[in-house]
Amino acid sequence: CKSMIFELWRPQHQRSFISSCLMRSTMVILLSLFVSLCAITLTYSVQIWDAVSYMQTGVFQTQSSDLDLEADVFAGHLKLLPGMAICEMGSANGALMAKLGPKVMPGGSLIATAPNYAELAATNAAALAAGLPSVRTFKATNVSWAPGLPPASCDVLYSRMVYHMIPKDVIALYIPQWVTALKPGGRILIVDHNPMGTHSGPRRPMSYIFGVGTMVVVPQDTEVNEITSGGFSLLEGPFEHPFFHGGYGAVYQAIPQASTS
């Protein structure tokens, strides 16, 4: 036995043993890197696929359910009733407006804002295709979220995956305008998504790919601070909105303004 042990640890055997260990360690490291790379690629491929799907249909392919169910969630938080005036900020292709519009009919009215006329036209077309009245549309600017919209026009206001697209300084201008746009007792529902793994902190990329940040998002605690600093109180949330990755929602109500008379 001793001679076998000594034989094993002769210099040539030592070199062979060390080389074998190094080769195996290198293979394990390379395999781990390959698996990690595949996982990262899959994760961001899904995010890109989701983004393309949303731009085309207004629905995220990785949703836990379809847009009808999500619209029901919106309607519940907004307490929609026939006759209400609903306003969507950033209406995209109108898919959500077309689902929520019937919930305020008969007698309801539809208002939409977007940063370009193409989205506003698509929203109106979607509403008409759903058998709804025409949508009153307003093109947003960097200083006004709905230029020309009279005060107290909306019973409710909502947005879906839009808040994070608006720069912080522009949001600061918009929030008091939302207060003015809502009727007394009106509420606003903002749905967006958190950075990966956290609910607080500054606006920052949702995630990173090899050190390069993806789209900038607004953590839910930061959103609450921004909106409640601008004339709203928090009614519900923030709560999980499980229709897309990191989704959250919060419902706010305008704080009654003191009379100037």
Side-chain angles (χ1 to χ4, degrees), residues 77-79 89 154-159 163 171 175 178-179 182-192 194 199 218-239 248-256:
H77 287 297
L78 292 169
K79 300 189 182 302
M89 180 181 68
C154 309
D155 288 292
V156 299
L157 191 157
Y158 64 92
S159 76
Y163 193 91
I171 280 289
I175 293 173
W178 299 341
V179 174
L182 286 168
K183 298 177 183 179
R187 53 177 52 200
I188 176 172
L189 169 61
I190 304 292
V191 166
D192 220 286
N194 283 299
H199 296 161
V218 184
Q220 62 189 43
D221 294 345
T222 303
E223 179 207 283
V224 171
N225 289 335
E226 291 178 358
I227 295 180
T228 56
S229 296
F232 284 90
S233 60
L234 179 65
L235 286 184
E236 300 177 39
F239 46 80
Y248 69 87
V251 180
Y252 307 86
Q253 190 169 49
I255 299 172

Side-chain angles (χ1 to χ4, degrees), residues 11-43:
Q12 63 268 31
H13 290 295
Q14 288 179 345
R15 288 193 294 269
S16 176
F17 178 75
I18 293 172
S19 298
S20 176
C21 288
L22 288 173
M23 183 176 296
R24 291 180 182 179
S25 298
T26 302
M27 291 179 63
V28 169
I29 292 171
L30 290 175
L31 180 60
S32 298
L33 289 173
F34 176 75
V35 170
S36 298
L37 181 60
C38 288
I40 292 171
T41 302
L42 177 61
T43 297

Side-chain angles (χ1 to χ4, degrees), residues 55-150:
M55 294 299 293
Q56 293 177 342
T57 68
V59 180
F60 291 94
Q61 289 299 319
T62 55
Q63 285 183 181
S64 61
S65 191
D66 60 17
L67 192 60
D68 291 300
L69 179 56
E70 189 174 5
D72 288 340
V73 171
F74 269 76
H77 287 297
L78 292 169
K79 300 189 182 302
L80 297 186
L81 295 171
M84 281 185 166
I86 62 174
C87 183
E88 182 169 359
M89 180 181 68
S91 57
N93 61 6
L96 185 55
M97 175 71 77
K99 297 294 184 181
L100 291 178
K103 300 179 186 300
V104 297
M105 299 299 161
S109 57
L110 312 177
I111 301 169
T113 71
N116 59 70
Y117 291 114
E119 290 187 13
L120 295 174
T123 298
N124 194 48
L128 294 175
L132 297 167
S134 295
V135 181
R136 293 169 61 196
T137 58
F138 299 85
K139 182 181 178 295
T141 70
N142 284 337
V143 295
S144 177
W145 80 289
L149 179 69

